[in-house]
Amino acid sequence: MLADLQKGEYGYIARMERYLKHPVEQVWSMLTENDKLAQWFPELRVKDLQEGGTMIFDMQNGTFEEMVISDCKELAVLEYEWGEDRVRFELAPDSAAECRLVFLERIKNITDHTPKDLAGWHVCLDVIEALLDGRTLESRKQEWEKWYESYKKLTREILESGSHGLS
């Protein structure tokens, strides 16, 4: 299912939700422990896990971008800069052994890169779920290409219609 993309007061908000059959602690570790983070997003790592701390993005060209963590509540919220935008992961127990994961990206402006990011985050969430379930995705690239086409269409529709929400 595509992200819900809404026009907001300060740009746009993309929202993706997943119900994972794993406790919050396991999902949190996928987001915050560098060895587990590397399994689904090898360019990203935690430098200092706290509000005001940093995430590091390896640009794959010898340079690294530091992204400030703007909100961090253990086992509940992780939010950090993503270029001019922000990404936020919200975790909540859904039952004794399950977790609701909500991913939000606050997008200042929709650009040609926006559908690439949205497709990437979509696949990342799928990979997190697969890893937790003990599975792997056969081709992340194929999955990304499929979702990229869908997100190009979604962002184009949002821009063309001036809509306040499509999903």
mmCIF file of all heavy atoms in Angstrom, residues 52-84:
data_model
loop_
_atom_site.group_PDB
_atom_site.id
_atom_site.type_symbol
_atom_site.label_atom_id
_atom_site.label_comp_id
_atom_site.label_asym_id
_atom_site.label_seq_id
_atom_site.Cartn_x
_atom_site.Cartn_y
_atom_site.Cartn_z
ATOM 1 N N GLY A 52 19.145 15.942 19.898
ATOM 2 C CA GLY A 52 20.318 16.788 19.700
ATOM 3 C C GLY A 52 21.528 15.990 19.237
ATOM 4 O O GLY A 52 22.541 16.561 18.848
ATOM 5 N N GLY A 53 21.430 14.660 19.274
ATOM 6 C CA GLY A 53 22.500 13.793 18.777
ATOM 7 C C GLY A 53 22.490 13.749 17.261
ATOM 8 O O GLY A 53 21.812 14.552 16.602
ATOM 9 N N THR A 54 23.208 12.793 16.680
ATOM 10 C CA THR A 54 23.302 12.772 15.224
ATOM 11 C C THR A 54 23.214 11.361 14.649
ATOM 12 O O THR A 54 23.610 10.382 15.271
ATOM 13 C CB THR A 54 24.616 13.410 14.720
ATOM 14 O OG1 THR A 54 25.707 12.807 15.407
ATOM 15 C CG2 THR A 54 24.648 14.898 14.932
ATOM 16 N N MET A 55 22.712 11.345 13.439
ATOM 17 C CA MET A 55 22.763 10.194 12.550
ATOM 18 C C MET A 55 23.791 10.563 11.486
ATOM 19 O O MET A 55 23.940 11.740 11.147
ATOM 20 C CB MET A 55 21.410 9.935 11.884
ATOM 21 C CG MET A 55 20.255 9.702 12.839
ATOM 22 S SD MET A 55 20.337 8.146 13.732
ATOM 23 C CE MET A 55 20.020 6.965 12.422
ATOM 24 N N ILE A 56 24.494 9.580 10.960
ATOM 25 C CA ILE A 56 25.504 9.814 9.928
ATOM 26 C C ILE A 56 25.073 9.104 8.653
ATOM 27 O O ILE A 56 24.716 7.920 8.686
ATOM 28 C CB ILE A 56 26.886 9.269 10.364
ATOM 29 C CG1 ILE A 56 27.324 9.881 11.692
ATOM 30 C CG2 ILE A 56 27.924 9.478 9.275
ATOM 31 C CD1 ILE A 56 27.626 11.350 11.636
ATOM 32 N N PHE A 57 25.118 9.837 7.545
ATOM 33 C CA PHE A 57 24.815 9.254 6.235
ATOM 34 C C PHE A 57 26.088 9.258 5.404
ATOM 35 O O PHE A 57 26.688 10.303 5.171
ATOM 36 C CB PHE A 57 23.719 10.054 5.527
ATOM 37 C CG PHE A 57 23.257 9.413 4.248
ATOM 38 C CD1 PHE A 57 22.275 8.445 4.271
ATOM 39 C CD2 PHE A 57 23.818 9.759 3.036
ATOM 40 C CE1 PHE A 57 21.844 7.838 3.091
ATOM 41 C CE2 PHE A 57 23.403 9.160 1.855
ATOM 42 C CZ PHE A 57 22.416 8.198 1.883
ATOM 43 N N ASP A 58 26.486 8.076 4.967
ATOM 44 C CA ASP A 58 27.665 7.906 4.109
ATOM 45 C C ASP A 58 27.232 8.188 2.674
ATOM 46 O O ASP A 58 26.455 7.427 2.083
ATOM 47 C CB ASP A 58 28.196 6.477 4.242
ATOM 48 C CG ASP A 58 29.452 6.229 3.432
ATOM 49 O OD1 ASP A 58 29.817 7.065 2.577
ATOM 50 O OD2 ASP A 58 30.073 5.173 3.654
ATOM 51 N N MET A 59 27.734 9.284 2.103
ATOM 52 C CA MET A 59 27.340 9.706 0.761
ATOM 53 C C MET A 59 27.937 8.811 -0.333
ATOM 54 O O MET A 59 27.678 9.015 -1.508
ATOM 55 C CB MET A 59 27.742 11.165 0.523
ATOM 56 C CG MET A 59 27.131 12.143 1.510
ATOM 57 S SD MET A 59 25.341 12.238 1.425
ATOM 58 C CE MET A 59 25.142 13.188 -0.057
ATOM 59 N N GLN A 60 28.747 7.834 0.046
ATOM 60 C CA GLN A 60 29.358 6.881 -0.880
ATOM 61 C C GLN A 60 30.362 7.532 -1.832
ATOM 62 O O GLN A 60 30.664 6.998 -2.894
ATOM 63 C CB GLN A 60 28.277 6.142 -1.699
ATOM 64 C CG GLN A 60 27.258 5.401 -0.853
ATOM 65 C CD GLN A 60 27.841 4.206 -0.128
ATOM 66 O OE1 GLN A 60 28.266 3.254 -0.754
ATOM 67 N NE2 GLN A 60 27.890 4.287 1.183
ATOM 68 N N ASN A 61 30.840 8.720 -1.441
ATOM 69 C CA ASN A 61 31.850 9.403 -2.249
ATOM 70 C C ASN A 61 32.985 9.922 -1.364
ATOM 71 O O ASN A 61 33.705 10.842 -1.739
ATOM 72 C CB ASN A 61 31.222 10.554 -3.046
ATOM 73 C CG ASN A 61 30.634 11.631 -2.151
ATOM 74 O OD1 ASN A 61 30.781 11.598 -0.929
ATOM 75 N ND2 ASN A 61 29.943 12.592 -2.747
ATOM 76 N N GLY A 62 33.106 9.343 -0.174
ATOM 77 C CA GLY A 62 34.137 9.767 0.764
ATOM 78 C C GLY A 62 33.683 10.845 1.726
ATOM 79 O O GLY A 62 34.442 11.247 2.601
ATOM 80 N N THR A 63 32.453 11.325 1.563
ATOM 81 C CA THR A 63 31.943 12.347 2.477
ATOM 82 C C THR A 63 30.779 11.779 3.290
ATOM 83 O O THR A 63 30.132 10.808 2.890
ATOM 84 C CB THR A 63 31.469 13.614 1.727
ATOM 85 O OG1 THR A 63 30.368 13.275 0.887
ATOM 86 C CG2 THR A 63 32.594 14.222 0.908
ATOM 87 N N PHE A 64 30.540 12.413 4.422
ATOM 88 C CA PHE A 64 29.496 11.985 5.332
ATOM 89 C C PHE A 64 28.650 13.186 5.710
ATOM 90 O O PHE A 64 29.172 14.274 5.909
ATOM 91 C CB PHE A 64 30.111 11.377 6.603
ATOM 92 C CG PHE A 64 30.947 10.152 6.305
ATOM 93 C CD1 PHE A 64 32.281 10.278 5.931
ATOM 94 C CD2 PHE A 64 30.388 8.894 6.376
ATOM 95 C CE1 PHE A 64 33.048 9.167 5.649
ATOM 96 C CE2 PHE A 64 31.146 7.770 6.092
ATOM 97 C CZ PHE A 64 32.475 7.903 5.722
ATOM 98 N N GLU A 65 27.346 12.977 5.796
ATOM 99 C CA GLU A 65 26.446 14.047 6.205
ATOM 100 C C GLU A 65 25.934 13.733 7.600
ATOM 101 O O GLU A 65 25.466 12.620 7.865
ATOM 102 C CB GLU A 65 25.275 14.151 5.223
ATOM 103 C CG GLU A 65 24.334 15.284 5.559
ATOM 104 C CD GLU A 65 23.223 15.439 4.540
ATOM 105 O OE1 GLU A 65 23.407 15.027 3.378
ATOM 106 O OE2 GLU A 65 22.174 15.974 4.925
ATOM 107 N N GLU A 66 26.037 14.703 8.498
ATOM 108 C CA GLU A 66 25.493 14.545 9.839
ATOM 109 C C GLU A 66 24.083 15.113 9.864
ATOM 110 O O GLU A 66 23.843 16.222 9.391
ATOM 111 C CB GLU A 66 26.365 15.272 10.870
ATOM 112 C CG GLU A 66 27.682 14.588 11.116
ATOM 113 C CD GLU A 66 28.362 15.028 12.398
ATOM 114 O OE1 GLU A 66 27.777 15.828 13.169
ATOM 115 O OE2 GLU A 66 29.478 14.546 12.635
ATOM 116 N N MET A 67 23.163 14.322 10.402
ATOM 117 C CA MET A 67 21.770 14.730 10.479
ATOM 118 C C MET A 67 21.364 14.757 11.943
ATOM 119 O O MET A 67 21.521 13.766 12.655
ATOM 120 C CB MET A 67 20.909 13.750 9.685
ATOM 121 C CG MET A 67 21.323 13.680 8.225
ATOM 122 S SD MET A 67 20.546 12.354 7.285
ATOM 123 C CE MET A 67 21.195 10.899 8.087
ATOM 124 N N VAL A 68 20.863 15.889 12.384
ATOM 125 C CA VAL A 68 20.534 16.081 13.793
ATOM 126 C C VAL A 68 19.264 15.306 14.157
ATOM 127 O O VAL A 68 18.269 15.329 13.427
ATOM 128 C CB VAL A 68 20.351 17.579 14.115
ATOM 129 C CG1 VAL A 68 19.874 17.791 15.546
ATOM 130 C CG2 VAL A 68 21.646 18.332 13.868
ATOM 131 N N ILE A 69 19.331 14.629 15.292
ATOM 132 C CA ILE A 69 18.163 13.943 15.840
ATOM 133 C C ILE A 69 17.341 14.985 16.591
ATOM 134 O O ILE A 69 17.809 15.583 17.552
ATOM 135 C CB ILE A 69 18.589 12.794 16.786
ATOM 136 C CG1 ILE A 69 19.368 11.730 16.001
ATOM 137 C CG2 ILE A 69 17.364 12.193 17.478
ATOM 138 C CD1 ILE A 69 20.004 10.658 16.871
ATOM 139 N N SER A 70 16.114 15.221 16.121
ATOM 140 C CA SER A 70 15.284 16.269 16.713
ATOM 141 C C SER A 70 14.339 15.740 17.782
ATOM 142 O O SER A 70 13.828 16.502 18.592
ATOM 143 C CB SER A 70 14.486 16.995 15.630
ATOM 144 O OG SER A 70 13.806 16.065 14.823
ATOM 145 N N ASP A 71 14.105 14.422 17.788
ATOM 146 C CA ASP A 71 13.244 13.835 18.811
ATOM 147 C C ASP A 71 13.674 12.388 19.005
ATOM 148 O O ASP A 71 13.866 11.653 18.030
ATOM 149 C CB ASP A 71 11.780 13.899 18.379
ATOM 150 C CG ASP A 71 10.791 13.675 19.522
ATOM 151 O OD1 ASP A 71 11.231 13.419 20.667
ATOM 152 O OD2 ASP A 71 9.577 13.751 19.270
ATOM 153 N N CYS A 72 13.848 12.000 20.252
ATOM 154 C CA CYS A 72 14.255 10.634 20.560
ATOM 155 C C CYS A 72 13.696 10.250 21.925
ATOM 156 O O CYS A 72 14.073 10.830 22.938
ATOM 157 C CB CYS A 72 15.780 10.513 20.555
ATOM 158 S SG CYS A 72 16.372 8.831 20.804
ATOM 159 N N LYS A 73 12.753 9.315 21.889
ATOM 160 C CA LYS A 73 12.186 8.769 23.124
ATOM 161 C C LYS A 73 12.346 7.261 23.015
ATOM 162 O O LYS A 73 11.735 6.632 22.136
ATOM 163 C CB LYS A 73 10.725 9.167 23.270
ATOM 164 C CG LYS A 73 10.526 10.648 23.488
ATOM 165 C CD LYS A 73 9.044 11.011 23.530
ATOM 166 C CE LYS A 73 8.829 12.498 23.623
ATOM 167 N NZ LYS A 73 9.281 13.246 22.473
ATOM 168 N N GLU A 74 13.159 6.696 23.870
ATOM 169 C CA GLU A 74 13.501 5.275 23.796
ATOM 170 C C GLU A 74 12.261 4.403 23.636
ATOM 171 O O GLU A 74 11.270 4.564 24.343
ATOM 172 C CB GLU A 74 14.292 4.841 25.026
ATOM 173 C CG GLU A 74 14.827 3.440 24.884
ATOM 174 C CD GLU A 74 15.775 3.044 25.995
ATOM 175 O OE1 GLU A 74 16.046 3.864 26.895
ATOM 176 O OE2 GLU A 74 16.248 1.909 25.962
ATOM 177 N N LEU A 75 12.335 3.507 22.672
ATOM 178 C CA LEU A 75 11.290 2.535 22.351
ATOM 179 C C LEU A 75 10.008 3.175 21.828
ATOM 180 O O LEU A 75 8.986 2.490 21.702
ATOM 181 C CB LEU A 75 10.959 1.646 23.559
ATOM 182 C CG LEU A 75 12.119 0.854 24.155
ATOM 183 C CD1 LEU A 75 11.663 0.106 25.395
ATOM 184 C CD2 LEU A 75 12.704 -0.108 23.131
ATOM 185 N N ALA A 76 10.041 4.476 21.479
ATOM 186 C CA ALA A 76 8.812 5.135 21.042
ATOM 187 C C ALA A 76 8.975 6.043 19.825
ATOM 188 O O ALA A 76 8.164 5.974 18.899
ATOM 189 C CB ALA A 76 8.212 5.926 22.192
ATOM 190 N N VAL A 77 9.990 6.912 19.817
ATOM 191 C CA VAL A 77 10.105 7.915 18.756
ATOM 192 C C VAL A 77 11.563 8.136 18.383
ATOM 193 O O VAL A 77 12.423 8.280 19.256
ATOM 194 C CB VAL A 77 9.518 9.283 19.204
ATOM 195 C CG1 VAL A 77 9.742 10.355 18.152
ATOM 196 C CG2 VAL A 77 8.040 9.164 19.520
ATOM 197 N N LEU A 78 11.815 8.169 17.077
ATOM 198 C CA LEU A 78 13.110 8.588 16.546
ATOM 199 C C LEU A 78 12.835 9.471 15.343
ATOM 200 O O LEU A 78 12.187 9.042 14.384
ATOM 201 C CB LEU A 78 13.963 7.382 16.133
ATOM 202 C CG LEU A 78 15.324 7.719 15.520
ATOM 203 C CD1 LEU A 78 16.205 8.482 16.515
ATOM 204 C CD2 LEU A 78 16.021 6.461 15.028
ATOM 205 N N GLU A 79 13.293 10.722 15.426
ATOM 206 C CA GLU A 79 13.089 11.677 14.332
ATOM 207 C C GLU A 79 14.406 12.380 14.062
ATOM 208 O O GLU A 79 15.106 12.777 14.997
ATOM 209 C CB GLU A 79 12.025 12.712 14.718
ATOM 210 C CG GLU A 79 11.797 13.756 13.634
ATOM 211 C CD GLU A 79 10.728 14.772 14.015
ATOM 212 O OE1 GLU A 79 9.534 14.432 13.917
ATOM 213 O OE2 GLU A 79 11.092 15.890 14.419
ATOM 214 N N TYR A 80 14.730 12.518 12.764
ATOM 215 C CA TYR A 80 15.968 13.219 12.411
ATOM 216 C C TYR A 80 15.840 13.900 11.058
ATOM 217 O O TYR A 80 14.926 13.625 10.273
ATOM 218 C CB TYR A 80 17.176 12.275 12.447
ATOM 219 C CG TYR A 80 17.033 10.965 11.710
ATOM 220 C CD1 TYR A 80 17.370 10.848 10.367
ATOM 221 C CD2 TYR A 80 16.583 9.828 12.379
ATOM 222 C CE1 TYR A 80 17.254 9.634 9.711
ATOM 223 C CE2 TYR A 80 16.470 8.619 11.733
ATOM 224 C CZ TYR A 80 16.811 8.524 10.387
ATOM 225 O OH TYR A 80 16.696 7.319 9.750
ATOM 226 N N GLU A 81 16.777 14.820 10.828
ATOM 227 C CA GLU A 81 16.829 15.551 9.566
ATOM 228 C C GLU A 81 17.053 14.574 8.425
ATOM 229 O O GLU A 81 17.739 13.560 8.578
ATOM 230 C CB GLU A 81 17.997 16.548 9.570
ATOM 231 C CG GLU A 81 17.875 17.641 10.578
ATOM 232 C CD GLU A 81 19.136 18.502 10.671
ATOM 233 O OE1 GLU A 81 20.211 18.069 10.175
ATOM 234 O OE2 GLU A 81 19.042 19.586 11.239
ATOM 235 N N TRP A 82 16.501 14.924 7.292
ATOM 236 C CA TRP A 82 16.716 14.154 6.069
ATOM 237 C C TRP A 82 16.817 15.180 4.945
ATOM 238 O O TRP A 82 15.832 15.521 4.314
ATOM 239 C CB TRP A 82 15.573 13.169 5.856
ATOM 240 C CG TRP A 82 15.837 12.207 4.757
ATOM 241 C CD1 TRP A 82 15.276 12.208 3.514
ATOM 242 C CD2 TRP A 82 16.753 11.115 4.789
ATOM 243 N NE1 TRP A 82 15.796 11.184 2.778
ATOM 244 C CE2 TRP A 82 16.691 10.490 3.536
ATOM 245 C CE3 TRP A 82 17.618 10.608 5.759
ATOM 246 C CZ2 TRP A 82 17.469 9.378 3.219
ATOM 247 C CZ3 TRP A 82 18.390 9.509 5.446
ATOM 248 C CH2 TRP A 82 18.313 8.902 4.197
ATOM 249 N N GLY A 83 18.019 15.734 4.777
ATOM 250 C CA GLY A 83 18.178 16.860 3.853
ATOM 251 C C GLY A 83 17.417 18.046 4.421
ATOM 252 O O GLY A 83 17.575 18.396 5.587
ATOM 253 N N GLU A 84 16.530 18.619 3.597
ATOM 254 C CA GLU A 84 15.692 19.732 4.071
ATOM 255 C C GLU A 84 14.448 19.223 4.789
ATOM 256 O O GLU A 84 13.660 20.005 5.294
ATOM 257 C CB GLU A 84 15.260 20.604 2.890
ATOM 258 C CG GLU A 84 16.387 21.395 2.265
ATOM 259 C CD GLU A 84 15.874 22.375 1.219
ATOM 260 O OE1 GLU A 84 14.686 22.294 0.828
ATOM 261 O OE2 GLU A 84 16.662 23.212 0.797
#
